[in-house]
Amino acid sequence: MNIVFYSSNSNVFLKDSFKFFHFPKHSDDLKKLCSLHPEHNFTVITNMPGYFLLDAEEIPENLSNLKYKILPALENSTFAANSIANEILKVLPDIAIACTYWIPPFDWLGIEDALIAEELKKQGIRTLSHTSLTQMTFFNKYETHLALKNNGFNVANAVYVNHELYWEERSKKEILHNVYKEYIFEQIKKLNFPVVIKDTTGLSSYGMEVAVSFKEAVHYLNLMKRDVLVEEFLSGIQAGTEIYGTDGDYKVMPPLIFSVNKYKITSPKQSIKLGPVDYNAYNVSELNDTLTKLAKIFKFSGIAQVDLVFKNNKWFIIEVNPRLSGMTQTYCALQNITPIELLYSIATKEKININLEDSKKKAINIKLPLQNFETLEKLTKHECVKKINQIQNLMAKQEREKGYCELVLSKDALKNDELIKEIKELCTLYPEIESEEMWKHLTEIL
């Protein structure tokens, strides 16, 4: 078969502005898949930087059954999906597999990848991709809230605030007072505080604010620049999982516990993920049923990541991200496979061992300060280190935009203490990876 892995990017990418370090390299992941399946021809078609598919600082090496095609950036294109679909059609694929990733400021690349898949389906090509409707539903946090609530899933109470209507009196001098704003305030007063205020279309928890009172909530609303969702803060255990599958056949992974920041919310560049959790203590069988139902309703096709809160022995859904994520790499470390192998197995419906219920394995995903490449190379020599990703933005001026280093450790460990012992040993050998923030987050989730 001819199998294509593809992804798109709507943003400007200036190669010289970034430094990357991936272990294993994405090219090594692809070479491994090629060696496991010499009967297939594989093609990678993507825009730069092509996370999960390219090592952006290297020229990819074509193999006998692996070819790369790096597409130019499509500036001001209203038909990017059609252009990329046409490039994919040129290689006569039997299967086209979307490898959607995330990029700030908007987590919308999945919509483009879904539109590409829908163009390919018109030509009779088999695809692995969520639908554009599913992607759009989970791109907009208000649409997500409505979709989950209307289908009977546990969600936090929330109020949607339209930015334009909130400030309508500014543009229309005949308005003496804003009735919409009056209504919004009355609805927010009914919520239990604290509340979380977040952009409906922002990436992850970037720009999220926590208001402990109605007065503080109004203060943040007066500063808002786009539509927002004002949502009750659920004070429970923060966690997340992934769902794998297509065509009604799904596997829900046991959750990983997340650490939180000073506002008690998950921070994407600081959060530590540890697990999987104990099945009995966290009512995992009920969660499995709930998320299988979710996958079937929205016809998932590929990988979807779900943010959760466990409160009063109930699971609440906070957010759904139908794409690859750092959690994909953590779960793959537990299974000794690569994300590309996982996508291939879902697309071809080949059985792969992803049952962790009886496994002794534990994994931890840690965020480190940015490291020099010499330290990163040394870390790769340790058996427990399964994955390293470092992305450094050389042009960033604000500290939070300079990048991150992600370290994934895994081993057979009945207790979390065994993983912590590994981390302490690594910190002794490489003190530069240690930080007060890291230990604070580790302490929270142990």
Coordinates of all heavy atoms in Angstrom, one line a residue, residues 135-212:
Q135 N -13.8 18.8 14.7 CA -12.7 19.7 15.0 C -13.2 21.1 15.3 O -12.7 21.7 16.2 CB -11.7 19.8 13.8 CG -10.9 18.5 13.5 CD -9.8 18.3 14.5 OE1 -9.6 19.1 15.5 NE2 -8.9 17.3 14.3
M136 N -14.2 21.6 14.6 CA -14.7 22.9 14.8 C -15.4 23.0 16.2 O -15.3 23.9 16.9 CB -15.7 23.3 13.7 CG -16.0 24.8 13.7 SD -14.6 25.8 13.2 CE -15.1 27.4 13.9
T137 N -16.1 21.9 16.5 CA -16.9 21.8 17.8 C -15.9 21.9 19.0 O -16.2 22.7 19.9 CB -17.6 20.5 17.9 OG1 -18.6 20.4 16.9 CG2 -18.3 20.4 19.3
F138 N -14.7 21.3 18.9 CA -13.8 21.3 20.0 C -12.8 22.4 19.9 O -12.0 22.6 20.8 CB -13.2 19.9 20.1 CG -14.2 18.8 20.5 CD1 -14.5 17.8 19.7 CD2 -14.9 19.0 21.7 CE1 -15.4 16.8 20.0 CE2 -15.8 18.0 22.1 CZ -16.1 16.9 21.2
F139 N -12.7 23.1 18.8 CA -11.9 24.3 18.6 C -12.5 25.5 19.5 O -11.8 26.2 20.2 CB -11.8 24.7 17.2 CG -11.3 26.1 16.9 CD1 -10.0 26.5 17.3 CD2 -12.1 27.1 16.3 CE1 -9.5 27.8 17.1 CE2 -11.6 28.3 16.1 CZ -10.4 28.7 16.5
N140 N -13.8 25.6 19.4 CA -14.5 26.7 20.1 C -14.9 26.2 21.5 O -15.8 25.3 21.5 CB -15.7 27.2 19.3 CG -16.3 28.4 19.9 OD1 -16.8 28.4 21.1 ND2 -16.4 29.5 19.2
K141 N -14.4 26.8 22.6 CA -14.7 26.2 23.9 C -16.2 26.4 24.3 O -16.7 25.6 25.1 CB -13.8 26.9 24.9 CG -12.3 26.5 24.8 CD -11.5 27.2 25.8 CE -10.0 26.8 25.7 NZ -9.3 27.1 24.4
Y142 N -16.9 27.4 23.7 CA -18.3 27.5 24.0 C -19.1 26.4 23.3 O -20.0 25.8 23.9 CB -18.8 28.9 23.6 CG -20.3 29.1 23.8 CD1 -20.9 28.8 25.0 CD2 -21.1 29.5 22.7 CE1 -22.2 29.0 25.2 CE2 -22.5 29.6 22.9 CZ -23.0 29.4 24.2 OH -24.4 29.5 24.3
E143 N -18.7 26.2 22.0 CA -19.3 25.1 21.3 C -19.1 23.7 22.0 O -19.9 22.9 22.0 CB -18.8 25.0 19.8 CG -19.1 26.2 19.0 CD -20.6 26.4 18.7 OE1 -21.3 25.3 18.7 OE2 -21.1 27.5 18.6
T144 N -17.8 23.6 22.5 CA -17.5 22.4 23.3 C -18.4 22.2 24.5 O -19.0 21.1 24.7 CB -16.0 22.4 23.7 OG1 -15.2 22.6 22.6 CG2 -15.7 21.1 24.5
H145 N -18.6 23.3 25.2 CA -19.4 23.3 26.4 C -20.8 22.8 26.1 O -21.4 22.0 26.7 CB -19.4 24.6 27.1 CG -20.4 24.8 28.2 ND1 -20.1 24.3 29.5 CD2 -21.6 25.3 28.3 CE1 -21.1 24.5 30.3 NE2 -22.0 25.1 29.6
L146 N -21.4 23.5 25.0 CA -22.8 23.1 24.6 C -22.9 21.7 24.1 O -23.8 21.0 24.5 CB -23.2 24.1 23.5 CG -23.6 25.5 23.9 CD1 -24.0 26.3 22.6 CD2 -24.6 25.6 24.9
A147 N -22.0 21.3 23.3 CA -22.0 19.9 22.8 C -21.9 18.9 23.9 O -22.7 17.9 23.9 CB -20.9 19.7 21.8
L148 N -21.1 19.1 24.8 CA -20.9 18.1 25.9 C -22.2 18.1 26.8 O -22.7 17.1 27.2 CB -19.7 18.4 26.8 CG -18.3 18.2 26.1 CD1 -17.2 18.8 26.9 CD2 -18.1 16.8 25.7
K149 N -22.6 19.3 27.2 CA -23.8 19.4 28.1 C -25.0 18.8 27.4 O -25.8 18.1 28.1 CB -24.0 20.9 28.4 CG -25.1 21.2 29.4 CD -25.2 22.6 29.8 CE -26.3 22.8 30.8 NZ -26.4 24.3 31.2
N150 N -25.2 19.1 26.2 CA -26.4 18.7 25.5 C -26.4 17.2 25.3 O -27.5 16.6 25.0 CB -26.6 19.4 24.1 CG -26.9 20.8 24.3 OD1 -27.4 21.3 25.3 ND2 -26.7 21.6 23.2
N151 N -25.3 16.5 25.3 CA -25.2 15.1 25.2 C -25.0 14.4 26.5 O -24.7 13.2 26.6 CB -24.0 14.7 24.3 CG -24.3 14.9 22.8 OD1 -25.1 14.1 22.2 ND2 -23.8 16.0 22.2
G152 N -25.3 15.1 27.6 CA -25.3 14.5 28.9 C -24.0 14.2 29.7 O -24.0 13.5 30.6
F153 N -22.9 14.9 29.2 CA -21.7 14.7 29.9 C -21.5 15.7 31.1 O -22.1 16.8 31.0 CB -20.5 14.9 28.9 CG -20.5 13.9 27.8 CD1 -21.0 14.2 26.6 CD2 -20.0 12.6 28.1 CE1 -21.0 13.2 25.5 CE2 -20.0 11.6 27.0 CZ -20.5 11.9 25.8
N154 N -20.8 15.3 32.1 CA -20.6 16.2 33.2 C -19.6 17.3 32.8 O -18.5 17.1 32.4 CB -19.9 15.4 34.4 CG -20.9 14.4 35.0 OD1 -22.1 14.6 34.9 ND2 -20.3 13.3 35.5
V155 N -20.1 18.6 33.0 CA -19.3 19.8 32.7 C -19.5 20.8 33.7 O -20.5 20.7 34.5 CB -19.6 20.4 31.3 CG1 -19.3 19.4 30.2 CG2 -21.1 20.8 31.2
A156 N -18.6 21.8 33.8 CA -18.8 22.9 34.8 C -19.9 23.9 34.2 O -20.0 24.0 33.0 CB -17.5 23.6 34.9
N157 N -20.6 24.5 35.1 CA -21.6 25.5 34.7 C -20.8 26.7 34.1 O -19.7 27.0 34.6 CB -22.4 26.0 35.9 CG -23.3 24.9 36.4 OD1 -23.9 24.2 35.6 ND2 -23.5 24.8 37.7
A158 N -21.3 27.3 33.1 CA -20.6 28.4 32.4 C -21.5 29.4 31.8 O -22.7 29.1 31.5 CB -19.7 27.8 31.3
V159 N -20.9 30.6 31.5 CA -21.6 31.7 30.8 C -20.8 32.2 29.7 O -19.6 32.5 29.9 CB -21.9 32.9 31.8 CG1 -22.6 34.0 31.0 CG2 -22.8 32.4 33.0
Y160 N -21.4 32.2 28.5 CA -20.6 32.7 27.3 C -20.8 34.2 27.2 O -21.9 34.8 27.4 CB -21.2 32.0 26.1 CG -20.8 32.7 24.8 CD1 -19.5 32.7 24.3 CD2 -21.8 33.3 24.0 CE1 -19.2 33.3 23.1 CE2 -21.5 33.9 22.8 CZ -20.2 33.9 22.3 OH -19.9 34.5 21.1
V161 N -19.7 34.9 26.9 CA -19.7 36.4 26.8 C -19.3 36.8 25.4 O -18.1 36.6 25.0 CB -18.9 37.1 27.9 CG1 -19.1 38.6 27.8 CG2 -19.3 36.6 29.3
N162 N -20.2 37.4 24.6 CA -19.8 37.9 23.3 C -19.2 39.3 23.4 O -19.8 40.2 23.9 CB -21.1 38.0 22.4 CG -20.8 38.5 21.0 OD1 -20.6 39.7 20.8 ND2 -20.9 37.6 20.1
H163 N -17.9 39.4 22.9 CA -17.2 40.6 23.1 C -17.9 41.8 22.5 O -17.9 42.9 23.0 CB -15.8 40.5 22.5 CG -14.9 41.7 22.6 ND1 -14.8 42.5 21.5 CD2 -14.2 42.2 23.6 CE1 -14.0 43.5 21.8 NE2 -13.6 43.4 23.1
E164 N -18.4 41.7 21.2 CA -19.0 42.8 20.5 C -20.2 43.3 21.2 O -20.4 44.5 21.4 CB -19.3 42.4 19.1 CG -19.8 43.5 18.2 CD -20.0 43.1 16.8 OE1 -19.4 42.0 16.4 OE2 -20.7 43.8 16.0
L165 N -21.1 42.4 21.7 CA -22.3 42.8 22.3 C -22.0 43.4 23.7 O -22.7 44.3 24.2 CB -23.2 41.6 22.5 CG -24.0 41.2 21.2 CD1 -24.7 39.9 21.5 CD2 -25.0 42.2 20.8
Y166 N -21.0 42.9 24.4 CA -20.6 43.4 25.7 C -20.3 44.9 25.6 O -20.5 45.6 26.6 CB -19.4 42.6 26.2 CG -19.0 42.9 27.7 CD1 -19.7 42.2 28.7 CD2 -18.0 43.8 28.0 CE1 -19.3 42.4 30.0 CE2 -17.7 44.0 29.3 CZ -18.3 43.4 30.3 OH -18.0 43.6 31.6
W167 N -19.7 45.3 24.5 CA -19.3 46.7 24.3 C -20.1 47.5 23.3 O -19.7 48.5 22.7 CB -17.8 46.8 24.0 CG -16.9 46.4 25.1 CD1 -16.0 45.3 25.0 CD2 -16.7 47.0 26.3 NE1 -15.4 45.2 26.2 CE2 -15.8 46.2 27.0 CE3 -17.3 48.1 27.0 CZ2 -15.3 46.6 28.3 CZ3 -16.9 48.4 28.3 CH2 -15.9 47.7 28.9
E168 N -21.4 47.0 23.0 CA -22.2 47.6 22.0 C -22.5 49.1 22.2 O -22.6 49.8 21.2 CB -23.5 46.8 21.9 CG -24.2 47.0 20.6 CD -23.5 46.4 19.4 OE1 -23.3 45.1 19.4 OE2 -23.0 47.1 18.6
E169 N -22.5 49.5 23.4 CA -22.8 50.9 23.7 C -21.7 51.9 23.2 O -21.9 53.1 23.0 CB -23.1 51.2 25.2 CG -21.9 51.1 26.1 CD -21.6 49.6 26.6 OE1 -22.1 48.7 25.9 OE2 -20.9 49.5 27.6
R170 N -20.5 51.3 23.0 CA -19.4 52.2 22.5 C -19.6 52.6 21.1 O -19.2 53.7 20.7 CB -18.1 51.4 22.6 CG -17.6 51.2 24.0 CD -16.3 50.4 24.0 NE -15.7 50.4 25.3 CZ -14.6 49.7 25.6 NH1 -14.0 49.0 24.6 NH2 -14.0 49.7 26.8
S171 N -20.2 51.7 20.3 CA -20.4 52.0 18.8 C -21.7 52.6 18.5 O -21.9 53.1 17.4 CB -20.1 50.8 18.0 OG -21.1 49.7 18.4
K172 N -22.7 52.5 19.4 CA -24.0 53.1 19.1 C -24.4 54.1 20.2 O -24.8 53.7 21.3 CB -25.0 51.9 19.0 CG -24.8 50.9 17.8 CD -25.8 49.8 17.8 CE -25.6 49.0 16.6 NZ -24.3 48.3 16.5
K173 N -24.3 55.3 19.8 CA -24.5 56.4 20.8 C -26.0 56.5 21.3 O -26.2 57.1 22.4 CB -24.2 57.8 20.1 CG -22.7 57.8 19.7 CD -21.8 57.6 20.8 CE -20.3 57.7 20.3 NZ -19.3 57.4 21.4
E174 N -26.9 55.9 20.6 CA -28.3 55.9 21.0 C -28.6 55.0 22.2 O -29.7 55.1 22.8 CB -29.3 55.6 19.8 CG -29.2 54.2 19.3 CD -28.2 54.0 18.2 OE1 -27.2 54.8 18.1 OE2 -28.3 53.1 17.4
I175 N -27.7 54.1 22.5 CA -27.9 53.2 23.6 C -27.5 53.8 24.9 O -26.4 54.3 25.1 CB -27.0 51.9 23.4 CG1 -27.5 51.1 22.2 CG2 -27.1 51.0 24.7 CD1 -26.7 49.9 21.9
L176 N -28.5 53.9 25.8 CA -28.2 54.5 27.1 C -27.6 53.5 28.1 O -26.7 53.9 28.9 CB -29.5 55.0 27.7 CG -30.1 56.2 27.0 CD1 -31.5 56.6 27.6 CD2 -29.2 57.4 27.2
H177 N -28.1 52.3 28.1 CA -27.4 51.2 28.9 C -27.5 49.9 28.1 O -28.4 49.7 27.4 CB -28.0 51.1 30.3 CG -29.4 50.6 30.3 ND1 -30.5 51.4 30.1 CD2 -29.9 49.3 30.5 CE1 -31.6 50.7 30.2 NE2 -31.3 49.4 30.4
N178 N -26.5 49.0 28.4 CA -26.3 47.8 27.7 C -27.1 46.7 28.3 O -26.7 46.2 29.4 CB -24.8 47.5 27.6 CG -24.6 46.3 26.7 OD1 -25.3 45.3 26.6 ND2 -23.4 46.3 26.0
V179 N -28.2 46.3 27.7 CA -29.1 45.2 28.3 C -28.4 43.9 28.3 O -28.5 43.1 29.2 CB -30.4 45.2 27.6 CG1 -31.3 44.0 28.1 CG2 -31.2 46.5 27.7
Y180 N -27.6 43.6 27.2 CA -26.9 42.3 27.1 C -25.9 42.2 28.3 O -25.8 41.2 29.0 CB -26.1 42.3 25.8 CG -25.2 41.0 25.7 CD1 -25.8 39.8 25.3 CD2 -23.8 41.1 25.9 CE1 -25.0 38.7 25.2 CE2 -23.1 40.0 25.8 CZ -23.6 38.8 25.4 OH -22.9 37.6 25.3
K181 N -25.2 43.3 28.6 CA -24.2 43.2 29.7 C -24.9 43.0 31.0 O -24.5 42.3 31.9 CB -23.4 44.6 29.8 CG -22.3 44.6 30.7 CD -21.5 45.9 30.7 CE -20.8 46.1 29.4 NZ -20.0 47.4 29.4
E182 N -26.1 43.6 31.2 CA -26.9 43.5 32.4 C -27.3 42.0 32.6 O -27.2 41.4 33.7 CB -28.2 44.3 32.3 CG -29.0 44.4 33.5 CD -30.2 45.3 33.3 OE1 -30.4 45.9 32.2 OE2 -30.9 45.5 34.3
Y183 N -27.7 41.4 31.5 CA -28.1 39.9 31.5 C -26.9 39.1 31.9 O -27.0 38.2 32.7 CB -28.6 39.5 30.2 CG -28.8 38.0 30.0 CD1 -29.9 37.4 30.5 CD2 -27.8 37.3 29.3 CE1 -30.0 36.0 30.4 CE2 -27.9 35.9 29.2 CZ -29.0 35.3 29.7 OH -29.2 33.9 29.6
I184 N -25.7 39.3 31.2 CA -24.5 38.6 31.5 C -24.1 38.6 33.0 O -23.8 37.6 33.6 CB -23.3 39.1 30.6 CG1 -23.6 38.7 29.1 CG2 -22.0 38.5 31.1 CD1 -23.6 37.2 28.9
F185 N -24.2 39.8 33.5 CA -23.8 40.0 35.0 C -24.7 39.2 35.9 O -24.3 38.6 36.8 CB -23.9 41.5 35.3 CG -22.7 42.3 34.8 CD1 -22.7 43.7 34.9 CD2 -21.6 41.7 34.2 CE1 -21.7 44.4 34.4 CE2 -20.6 42.4 33.7 CZ -20.6 43.8 33.8
E186 N -26.0 39.2 35.6 CA -27.0 38.4 36.4 C -26.7 36.9 36.3 O -26.8 36.2 37.3 CB -28.4 38.7 36.0 CG -28.9 40.1 36.3 CD -28.8 40.4 37.8 OE1 -29.2 39.5 38.6 OE2 -28.3 41.4 38.2
Q187 N -26.3 36.4 35.1 CA -26.0 35.0 34.9 C -24.7 34.6 35.7 O -24.6 33.6 36.3 CB -25.8 34.6 33.5 CG -27.1 34.9 32.7 CD -28.3 34.2 33.3 OE1 -28.3 33.0 33.5 NE2 -29.3 35.0 33.6
I188 N -23.7 35.5 35.6 CA -22.4 35.3 36.3 C -22.6 35.2 37.8 O -22.0 34.4 38.5 CB -21.4 36.3 35.9 CG1 -21.0 36.1 34.4 CG2 -20.1 36.2 36.8 CD1 -20.1 37.2 33.9
K189 N -23.5 36.1 38.3 CA -23.8 36.1 39.8 C -24.3 34.8 40.3 O -24.1 34.4 41.5 CB -24.8 37.2 40.1 CG -24.2 38.6 40.1 CD -25.3 39.6 40.4 CE -24.7 41.1 40.3 NZ -25.8 42.1 40.5
K190 N -24.9 34.0 39.4 CA -25.5 32.7 39.8 C -24.4 31.6 39.9 O -24.7 30.5 40.4 CB -26.6 32.3 38.8 CG -27.8 33.2 38.7 CD -28.8 32.8 37.6 CE -29.9 33.8 37.5 NZ -30.8 33.4 36.4
L191 N -23.2 31.8 39.3 CA -22.2 30.8 39.3 C -21.6 30.8 40.7 O -21.6 31.7 41.5 CB -21.1 31.2 38.3 CG -21.5 31.2 36.8 CD1 -20.4 31.6 36.0 CD2 -22.1 29.9 36.4
N192 N -21.0 29.6 41.0 CA -20.2 29.4 42.2 C -18.8 29.9 42.0 O -18.1 29.5 41.0 CB -20.2 28.0 42.7 CG -21.6 27.5 43.1 OD1 -22.3 28.2 43.8 ND2 -22.0 26.4 42.5
F193 N -18.3 30.8 42.8 CA -16.9 31.3 42.7 C -15.9 30.4 43.5 O -16.3 29.8 44.5 CB -16.9 32.8 43.1 CG -17.4 33.7 42.1 CD1 -18.8 33.9 42.1 CD2 -16.6 34.4 41.2 CE1 -19.4 34.8 41.1 CE2 -17.2 35.2 40.3 CZ -18.5 35.4 40.3
P194 N -14.7 30.4 43.0 CA -14.0 31.1 41.9 C -14.5 30.6 40.5 O -15.0 29.5 40.4 CB -12.6 30.9 42.1 CG -12.5 29.5 42.8 CD -13.7 29.5 43.7
V195 N -14.2 31.5 39.5 CA -14.6 31.1 38.1 C -13.3 31.3 37.3 O -12.4 32.0 37.6 CB -15.7 32.0 37.6 CG1 -17.0 31.7 38.3 CG2 -15.3 33.5 37.6
V196 N -13.3 30.5 36.2 CA -12.2 30.6 35.2 C -12.7 31.4 34.0 O -13.8 31.1 33.5 CB -11.7 29.2 34.8 CG1 -10.7 29.3 33.7 CG2 -11.1 28.4 36.0
I197 N -11.9 32.3 33.5 CA -12.3 33.1 32.4 C -11.3 32.8 31.3 O -10.1 33.0 31.4 CB -12.3 34.6 32.7 CG1 -13.3 34.9 33.8 CG2 -12.7 35.4 31.4 CD1 -13.3 36.3 34.3
K198 N -11.8 32.3 30.1 CA -10.9 31.9 29.1 C -11.4 32.2 27.7 O -12.6 32.2 27.5 CB -10.6 30.4 29.2 CG -11.8 29.5 29.2 CD -11.5 28.0 29.5 CE -12.7 27.1 29.6 NZ -12.3 25.8 30.0
D199 N -10.5 32.5 26.8 CA -10.9 32.8 25.4 C -11.6 31.5 24.8 O -11.2 30.4 25.1 CB -9.6 33.0 24.5 CG -9.1 34.4 24.8 OD1 -9.7 35.2 25.4 OD2 -7.9 34.7 24.3
T200 N -12.6 31.7 24.0 CA -13.3 30.6 23.5 C -12.5 29.9 22.4 O -12.7 28.7 22.1 CB -14.7 31.0 22.9 OG1 -14.4 32.1 21.9 CG2 -15.6 31.6 23.9
T201 N -11.5 30.6 21.8 CA -10.7 30.0 20.8 C -9.2 30.0 21.0 O -8.4 29.8 20.1 CB -11.0 30.7 19.4 OG1 -10.7 32.1 19.6 CG2 -12.4 30.5 19.0
G202 N -8.8 30.2 22.3 CA -7.4 30.2 22.6 C -6.8 28.8 22.7 O -7.5 27.8 22.7
L203 N -5.5 28.8 22.7 CA -4.8 27.5 22.8 C -4.6 27.1 24.3 O -4.0 27.9 25.0 CB -3.4 27.6 22.1 CG -2.4 26.4 22.3 CD1 -3.0 25.2 21.6 CD2 -1.1 26.7 21.7
S204 N -5.1 25.9 24.6 CA -4.9 25.4 26.0 C -5.3 26.4 27.0 O -6.3 27.1 26.9 CB -3.4 25.0 26.1 OG -3.2 24.2 27.3
S205 N -4.5 26.6 28.1 CA -4.9 27.5 29.2 C -4.1 28.8 29.1 O -4.1 29.6 30.0 CB -4.6 26.9 30.5 OG -3.2 26.5 30.7
Y206 N -3.5 29.1 27.9 CA -2.8 30.4 27.7 C -3.8 31.5 27.9 O -4.9 31.5 27.2 CB -2.1 30.5 26.4 CG -1.0 29.5 26.2 CD1 -1.1 28.4 25.3 CD2 0.2 29.6 26.9 CE1 -0.1 27.5 25.1 CE2 1.2 28.7 26.8 CZ 1.1 27.6 25.9 OH 2.1 26.7 25.7
G207 N -3.4 32.6 28.7 CA -4.3 33.7 28.8 C -5.5 33.5 29.7 O -6.3 34.4 29.9
M208 N -5.6 32.4 30.4 CA -6.7 32.1 31.3 C -6.5 32.8 32.6 O -5.4 33.0 33.1 CB -6.7 30.6 31.5 CG -8.0 30.1 32.3 SD -7.9 28.3 32.5 CE -8.1 27.7 30.9
E209 N -7.7 33.3 33.1 CA -7.7 34.1 34.4 C -8.6 33.4 35.3 O -9.6 32.8 35.0 CB -8.1 35.5 34.2 CG -7.3 36.3 33.2 CD -5.9 36.7 33.7 OE1 -5.6 36.4 34.9 OE2 -5.1 37.3 32.9
V210 N -8.3 33.5 36.6 CA -9.1 33.0 37.7 C -9.6 34.1 38.5 O -8.8 34.9 39.0 CB -8.3 32.0 38.6 CG1 -9.2 31.5 39.7 CG2 -7.8 30.8 37.8
A211 N -10.9 34.3 38.6 CA -11.6 35.3 39.4 C -12.2 34.7 40.6 O -13.0 33.8 40.5 CB -12.6 36.1 38.6
V212 N -11.9 35.3 41.8 CA -12.4 34.8 43.1 C -13.7 35.5 43.5 O -14.3 35.0 44.5 CB -11.4 34.8 44.2 CG1 -10.1 34.0 43.8 CG2 -11.0 36.3 44.5

